[in-house]
């Protein structure tokens, strides 16, 4: 990839990366009260939440690797 393309797209790619990073944190649920989940129904909601978030983390890492790791798109070389 020519250096001029990398230079021209570096800021845009960085902005997209920051946006997706922020959206990942929002989707995890910063406002969730884990203490309330532990006291409900013997902690079953907490277990469900924890499993779902574990899946979310694995899925997000997989998609990031596919998109930014050069698997689906060519990897950027700086």
């Amino acid at each position: 990839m020519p250096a001029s393309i990398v230079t021209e797209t570096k800021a845009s790619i960085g902005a997209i990366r920051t946006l997706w990073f922020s959206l990942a944190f929002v989707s995890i649920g910063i406002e969730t009260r884990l203490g309330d989940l532990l006291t409900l129904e013997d902690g079953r909601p907490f277990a469900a939440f924890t499993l779902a978030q574990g899946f979310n983390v694995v899925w997000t890492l997989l998609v990031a690797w596919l998109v930014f790791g050069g698997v689906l798109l060519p990897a950027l070389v700086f």
Side-chain angles (χ1 to χ4, degrees), residues 29-65:
I30 296 173
E31 297 293 326
T32 303
R33 294 182 180 153
L34 297 177
D36 292 347
L37 293 177
L38 279 170
T39 60
L40 294 172
E41 300 177 21
D42 296 327
R44 289 182 187 159
F46 178 76
F49 177 79
T50 304
L51 286 172
Q53 292 313 312
F55 174 78
N56 186 26
V57 168
V58 171
W59 177 253
T60 303
L61 287 172
L62 175 67
V63 170
W65 175 69

Side-chain angles (χ1 to χ4, degrees), residues 6 11 14 16 26-27 31 34 41 44-45 47 51 53 67 72 76:
V6 172
I16 292 170
V26 170
S27 70
E31 297 293 326
L34 297 177
E41 300 177 21
R44 289 182 187 159
L51 286 172
Q53 292 313 312
V67 173
L72 293 178
L76 298 176

